[in-house]
Amino acid sequence: MVDDAPAVVELVEDHLDSVGFDVVGVHSGDAALEEIGKRRFDALVVDVVMPGITGYELVEQLRSQGVT
């Protein structure tokens, strides 16, 4: 879960955790790239409008690295 609003990350993390998902929440595109480099994820929930690396740019970078 990537969103620059901590309250949004916490809300989504809490809900997904409550229904059995293991969630890693971060607050920037840079932090997301770091976490994605550490492990494999089944899905990403990405905010589009963020300072620094936008959600669109994050997905473009991941696709160029072969992340599907």
Side-chain angles (χ1 to χ4, degrees):
M1 169 69 198
V2 186
D3 196 305
D4 59 319
V8 172
V9 172
E10 184 178 344
L11 179 69
V12 173
E13 278 182 312
D14 289 347
H15 177 70
L16 292 175
D17 282 340
S18 76
V19 294
F21 290 94
D22 184 23
V23 180
V24 175
V26 295
H27 302 112
S28 71
D30 289 324
L33 289 171
E34 185 176 322
E35 287 298 321
I36 293 164
K38 294 178 185 175
R39 66 191 95 182
R40 184 184 176 282
F41 291 91
D42 294 323
L44 301 174
V45 177
V46 180
D47 182 17
V48 174
V49 180
M50 296 185 292
I53 299 173
T54 68
Y56 291 121
E57 293 166 336
L58 173 62
V59 171
E60 286 175 6
Q61 284 187 34
L62 293 172
R63 294 284 186 208
S64 72
Q65 296 171 12
V67 176
T68 58

